Amino acid sequence: MKPIHIFYHVYMGGGSVPVSFDNAIRIVSEQLGYIRAVGLLDVAKLTIGVSGSVTDFMVMTSAAPEGTDMFHNLTGVGELPTMKIMQDHCKRNPDSYIFYLHTKGVIHNGNPIYEAWRKCMEKVVIGKWKECVRSLECGYDSAGAHWLTPGQFPFIGPVPYWGGNFFWALASHLNKLPEIDINAGRYQ
């Protein structure tokens, strides 16, 4: 199997929408616990990008599994700086499998719709991670839940993507995408 690298964006705060620290820690604990429980941490390298205060970053650093690469996003609150780190990794490691996820629903403290959406995506990309990897091994460029296309959902813009932005992909495929501008809109 090719090397697996997980890129995990953790939003702890710093934006215009307040984040409950307790809710953020709950989601991180659930997601990292699930990743650990299914054996994915045993075979993958983890990088965590944190948006939040210095204290938030220190908390995440102490909570992260041993050997995790940590990145403190000082430029804003969005996912793009973490995704830029991922893109740079793909350029250096074009033969790896990439898994991307984030703290979906962190700004919607306890909202059952966001909780269900996050759990549904996690069931596919974490719970069935071996199936996602098999899809990549069988020639697919990416795998995930909720593939959205402009034909089905015109409001998403001109490019199809995995709704909710949890996905698996070939690094070589991600290398074909445009350079990420961390100051651009989140749908780039």
Side-chain angles (χ1 to χ4, degrees), residues 17 25 31 45-46 58 70 76 83 87 92 95-96 99-100 103 110-111 121-122 130 158 171 175 188:
V17 179
I25 293 298
Q31 289 178 318
K45 177 71 176 158
L46 175 63
M58 289 171 43
M70 300 294 298
M83 296 186 100
Q87 186 176 57
R92 293 186 312 274
D95 291 328
S96 60
F99 172 37
Y100 180 82
T103 49
N111 181 310
M121 291 186 296
E122 290 170 353
K130 291 178 183 177
N175 284 337
Q188 78 162 320

mmCIF file of all heavy atoms in Angstrom, residues 17 25 31 45-46 58 70 76 83 87 92 95-96 99-100 103 110-111 121-122 130 158 171 175 188:
data_model
loop_
_atom_site.group_PDB
_atom_site.id
_atom_site.type_symbol
_atom_site.label_atom_id
_atom_site.label_comp_id
_atom_site.label_asym_id
_atom_site.label_seq_id
_atom_site.Cartn_x
_atom_site.Cartn_y
_atom_site.Cartn_z
ATOM 1 N N VAL A 17 -17.639 33.977 13.959
ATOM 2 C CA VAL A 17 -18.619 33.130 14.643
ATOM 3 C C VAL A 17 -17.930 32.500 15.846
ATOM 4 O O VAL A 17 -16.915 31.812 15.699
ATOM 5 C CB VAL A 17 -19.152 32.021 13.701
ATOM 6 C CG1 VAL A 17 -20.140 31.138 14.420
ATOM 7 C CG2 VAL A 17 -19.779 32.649 12.463
ATOM 8 N N ILE A 25 -13.435 20.582 21.422
ATOM 9 C CA ILE A 25 -12.683 19.476 22.022
ATOM 10 C C ILE A 25 -13.473 18.166 21.909
ATOM 11 O O ILE A 25 -12.900 17.104 21.640
ATOM 12 C CB ILE A 25 -12.322 19.793 23.491
ATOM 13 C CG1 ILE A 25 -11.320 20.946 23.546
ATOM 14 C CG2 ILE A 25 -11.798 18.562 24.222
ATOM 15 C CD1 ILE A 25 -9.993 20.660 22.859
ATOM 16 N N GLN A 31 -13.436 12.466 16.708
ATOM 17 C CA GLN A 31 -12.829 12.158 15.413
ATOM 18 C C GLN A 31 -11.499 11.430 15.573
ATOM 19 O O GLN A 31 -11.272 10.414 14.920
ATOM 20 C CB GLN A 31 -12.670 13.437 14.579
ATOM 21 C CG GLN A 31 -13.997 13.974 14.096
ATOM 22 C CD GLN A 31 -13.872 15.264 13.308
ATOM 23 O OE1 GLN A 31 -13.113 16.160 13.672
ATOM 24 N NE2 GLN A 31 -14.621 15.358 12.221
ATOM 25 N N LYS A 45 0.351 8.869 8.579
ATOM 26 C CA LYS A 45 0.997 10.035 9.196
ATOM 27 C C LYS A 45 -0.076 11.109 9.317
ATOM 28 O O LYS A 45 -0.881 11.306 8.401
ATOM 29 C CB LYS A 45 2.140 10.512 8.299
ATOM 30 C CG LYS A 45 2.835 11.750 8.780
ATOM 31 C CD LYS A 45 3.663 11.487 10.006
ATOM 32 C CE LYS A 45 4.421 12.758 10.402
ATOM 33 N NZ LYS A 45 4.809 12.757 11.785
ATOM 34 N N LEU A 46 -0.107 11.819 10.446
ATOM 35 C CA LEU A 46 -1.139 12.820 10.717
ATOM 36 C C LEU A 46 -0.531 14.208 10.789
ATOM 37 O O LEU A 46 0.477 14.419 11.466
ATOM 38 C CB LEU A 46 -1.834 12.482 12.042
ATOM 39 C CG LEU A 46 -2.875 13.464 12.577
ATOM 40 C CD1 LEU A 46 -4.069 13.588 11.643
ATOM 41 C CD2 LEU A 46 -3.329 13.021 13.974
ATOM 42 N N MET A 58 -1.761 25.159 21.682
ATOM 43 C CA MET A 58 -1.055 24.401 22.717
ATOM 44 C C MET A 58 -1.911 23.240 23.221
ATOM 45 O O MET A 58 -1.397 22.136 23.432
ATOM 46 C CB MET A 58 -0.643 25.327 23.865
ATOM 47 C CG MET A 58 0.471 26.280 23.463
ATOM 48 S SD MET A 58 0.866 27.593 24.656
ATOM 49 C CE MET A 58 0.850 26.771 26.201
ATOM 50 N N MET A 70 2.223 19.386 13.595
ATOM 51 C CA MET A 70 1.258 20.430 13.953
ATOM 52 C C MET A 70 1.554 21.707 13.176
ATOM 53 O O MET A 70 2.716 22.044 12.940
ATOM 54 C CB MET A 70 1.328 20.712 15.460
ATOM 55 C CG MET A 70 1.026 19.515 16.336
ATOM 56 S SD MET A 70 -0.677 18.919 16.224
ATOM 57 C CE MET A 70 -1.613 20.333 16.807
ATOM 58 N N GLY A 76 -5.791 33.168 9.418
ATOM 59 C CA GLY A 76 -7.244 33.232 9.363
ATOM 60 C C GLY A 76 -7.866 32.005 9.985
ATOM 61 O O GLY A 76 -7.197 31.231 10.665
ATOM 62 N N MET A 83 -5.140 23.234 3.855
ATOM 63 C CA MET A 83 -5.166 22.614 2.534
ATOM 64 C C MET A 83 -3.921 22.982 1.725
ATOM 65 O O MET A 83 -3.446 22.185 0.914
ATOM 66 C CB MET A 83 -6.444 22.995 1.791
ATOM 67 C CG MET A 83 -7.689 22.453 2.496
ATOM 68 S SD MET A 83 -9.171 22.741 1.558
ATOM 69 C CE MET A 83 -9.339 21.117 0.827
ATOM 70 N N GLN A 87 -1.417 20.530 -0.038
ATOM 71 C CA GLN A 87 -1.012 20.648 -1.433
ATOM 72 C C GLN A 87 0.513 20.609 -1.572
ATOM 73 O O GLN A 87 1.049 19.939 -2.457
ATOM 74 C CB GLN A 87 -1.570 21.944 -2.029
ATOM 75 C CG GLN A 87 -1.325 22.085 -3.510
ATOM 76 C CD GLN A 87 -1.968 23.338 -4.070
ATOM 77 O OE1 GLN A 87 -1.691 24.449 -3.601
ATOM 78 N NE2 GLN A 87 -2.828 23.158 -5.058
ATOM 79 N N ARG A 92 5.592 17.109 -2.957
ATOM 80 C CA ARG A 92 6.794 16.385 -2.524
ATOM 81 C C ARG A 92 6.584 14.868 -2.475
ATOM 82 O O ARG A 92 7.552 14.111 -2.485
ATOM 83 C CB ARG A 92 7.218 16.863 -1.133
ATOM 84 C CG ARG A 92 7.711 18.298 -1.073
ATOM 85 C CD ARG A 92 8.252 18.671 0.298
ATOM 86 N NE ARG A 92 7.396 18.301 1.414
ATOM 87 C CZ ARG A 92 6.396 19.032 1.894
ATOM 88 N NH1 ARG A 92 6.114 20.209 1.343
ATOM 89 N NH2 ARG A 92 5.685 18.628 2.919
ATOM 90 N N ASP A 95 3.139 10.053 -4.772
ATOM 91 C CA ASP A 95 2.674 8.663 -4.755
ATOM 92 C C ASP A 95 1.914 8.301 -3.484
ATOM 93 O O ASP A 95 1.712 7.121 -3.205
ATOM 94 C CB ASP A 95 3.865 7.710 -4.923
ATOM 95 C CG ASP A 95 4.462 7.796 -6.309
ATOM 96 O OD1 ASP A 95 3.706 8.063 -7.272
ATOM 97 O OD2 ASP A 95 5.688 7.617 -6.437
ATOM 98 N N SER A 96 1.492 9.278 -2.707
ATOM 99 C CA SER A 96 0.796 8.967 -1.460
ATOM 100 C C SER A 96 -0.722 9.093 -1.602
ATOM 101 O O SER A 96 -1.233 9.692 -2.545
ATOM 102 C CB SER A 96 1.309 9.865 -0.324
ATOM 103 O OG SER A 96 1.105 11.225 -0.619
ATOM 104 N N PHE A 99 -5.910 11.756 2.948
ATOM 105 C CA PHE A 99 -7.219 11.794 3.607
ATOM 106 C C PHE A 99 -7.356 13.159 4.257
ATOM 107 O O PHE A 99 -6.488 13.578 5.017
ATOM 108 C CB PHE A 99 -7.327 10.678 4.642
ATOM 109 C CG PHE A 99 -8.555 10.738 5.509
ATOM 110 C CD1 PHE A 99 -9.780 11.136 5.014
ATOM 111 C CD2 PHE A 99 -8.476 10.368 6.837
ATOM 112 C CE1 PHE A 99 -10.910 11.182 5.816
ATOM 113 C CE2 PHE A 99 -9.592 10.402 7.660
ATOM 114 C CZ PHE A 99 -10.805 10.816 7.143
ATOM 115 N N TYR A 100 -8.439 13.879 3.938
ATOM 116 C CA TYR A 100 -8.669 15.213 4.473
ATOM 117 C C TYR A 100 -9.997 15.248 5.218
ATOM 118 O O TYR A 100 -11.010 14.746 4.718
ATOM 119 C CB TYR A 100 -8.693 16.266 3.346
ATOM 120 C CG TYR A 100 -8.935 17.642 3.898
ATOM 121 C CD1 TYR A 100 -7.897 18.382 4.440
ATOM 122 C CD2 TYR A 100 -10.216 18.177 3.935
ATOM 123 C CE1 TYR A 100 -8.123 19.627 5.003
ATOM 124 C CE2 TYR A 100 -10.457 19.415 4.497
ATOM 125 C CZ TYR A 100 -9.413 20.139 5.030
ATOM 126 O OH TYR A 100 -9.642 21.369 5.592
ATOM 127 N N THR A 103 -13.189 19.719 11.492
ATOM 128 C CA THR A 103 -14.121 19.690 12.615
ATOM 129 C C THR A 103 -15.495 20.213 12.182
ATOM 130 O O THR A 103 -15.989 21.221 12.685
ATOM 131 C CB THR A 103 -13.581 20.504 13.811
ATOM 132 O OG1 THR A 103 -13.150 21.790 13.337
ATOM 133 C CG2 THR A 103 -12.435 19.791 14.497
ATOM 134 N N GLY A 110 -23.919 21.448 18.769
ATOM 135 C CA GLY A 110 -24.993 20.510 19.071
ATOM 136 C C GLY A 110 -26.139 20.481 18.080
ATOM 137 O O GLY A 110 -27.125 19.780 18.304
ATOM 138 N N ASN A 111 -26.048 21.209 16.973
ATOM 139 C CA ASN A 111 -27.118 21.204 15.976
ATOM 140 C C ASN A 111 -27.221 19.794 15.389
ATOM 141 O O ASN A 111 -26.259 19.287 14.810
ATOM 142 C CB ASN A 111 -26.816 22.222 14.886
ATOM 143 C CG ASN A 111 -27.886 22.302 13.817
ATOM 144 O OD1 ASN A 111 -28.301 21.284 13.271
ATOM 145 N ND2 ASN A 111 -28.305 23.506 13.512
ATOM 146 N N MET A 121 -20.508 11.428 7.086
ATOM 147 C CA MET A 121 -19.242 11.500 6.354
ATOM 148 C C MET A 121 -18.171 10.664 7.044
ATOM 149 O O MET A 121 -17.409 9.950 6.391
ATOM 150 C CB MET A 121 -18.788 12.951 6.206
ATOM 151 C CG MET A 121 -19.674 13.758 5.271
ATOM 152 S SD MET A 121 -19.052 15.421 4.969
ATOM 153 C CE MET A 121 -19.143 16.167 6.579
ATOM 154 N N GLU A 122 -18.121 10.732 8.368
ATOM 155 C CA GLU A 122 -17.131 9.949 9.110
ATOM 156 C C GLU A 122 -17.337 8.446 8.912
ATOM 157 O O GLU A 122 -16.362 7.695 8.819
ATOM 158 C CB GLU A 122 -17.212 10.284 10.605
ATOM 159 C CG GLU A 122 -16.726 11.665 10.943
ATOM 160 C CD GLU A 122 -17.016 12.084 12.370
ATOM 161 O OE1 GLU A 122 -17.722 11.358 13.107
ATOM 162 O OE2 GLU A 122 -16.542 13.167 12.755
ATOM 163 N N LYS A 130 -10.714 1.578 4.560
ATOM 164 C CA LYS A 130 -10.064 0.569 3.717
ATOM 165 C C LYS A 130 -10.749 0.472 2.355
ATOM 166 O O LYS A 130 -10.085 0.264 1.338
ATOM 167 C CB LYS A 130 -10.047 -0.786 4.416
ATOM 168 C CG LYS A 130 -9.115 -0.809 5.613
ATOM 169 C CD LYS A 130 -9.144 -2.150 6.316
ATOM 170 C CE LYS A 130 -8.244 -2.108 7.549
ATOM 171 N NZ LYS A 130 -8.307 -3.370 8.300
ATOM 172 N N PRO A 158 -19.067 26.084 -10.246
ATOM 173 C CA PRO A 158 -18.814 25.355 -11.488
ATOM 174 C C PRO A 158 -18.065 24.020 -11.356
ATOM 175 O O PRO A 158 -17.925 23.306 -12.331
ATOM 176 C CB PRO A 158 -17.967 26.344 -12.286
ATOM 177 C CG PRO A 158 -17.218 27.104 -11.248
ATOM 178 C CD PRO A 158 -18.175 27.225 -10.085
ATOM 179 N N ALA A 171 -2.530 11.794 -4.207
ATOM 180 C CA ALA A 171 -1.734 13.022 -4.221
ATOM 181 C C ALA A 171 -1.472 13.468 -5.656
ATOM 182 O O ALA A 171 -1.513 14.659 -5.968
ATOM 183 C CB ALA A 171 -0.421 12.816 -3.474
ATOM 184 N N ASN A 175 -2.355 17.119 -7.301
ATOM 185 C CA ASN A 175 -1.322 17.932 -7.951
ATOM 186 C C ASN A 175 -1.792 18.548 -9.263
ATOM 187 O O ASN A 175 -1.163 19.484 -9.765
ATOM 188 C CB ASN A 175 -0.056 17.101 -8.192
ATOM 189 C CG ASN A 175 0.743 16.899 -6.931
ATOM 190 O OD1 ASN A 175 0.632 17.666 -5.978
ATOM 191 N ND2 ASN A 175 1.536 15.850 -6.913
ATOM 192 N N GLN A 188 -12.842 27.809 -3.442
ATOM 193 C CA GLN A 188 -11.892 27.650 -4.537
ATOM 194 C C GLN A 188 -11.478 26.197 -4.657
ATOM 195 O O GLN A 188 -11.029 25.720 -5.653
ATOM 196 C CB GLN A 188 -10.680 28.554 -4.371
ATOM 197 C CG GLN A 188 -9.677 28.052 -3.364
ATOM 198 C CD GLN A 188 -8.317 28.687 -3.521
ATOM 199 O OE1 GLN A 188 -7.848 28.901 -4.612
ATOM 200 N NE2 GLN A 188 -7.701 29.000 -2.412
#
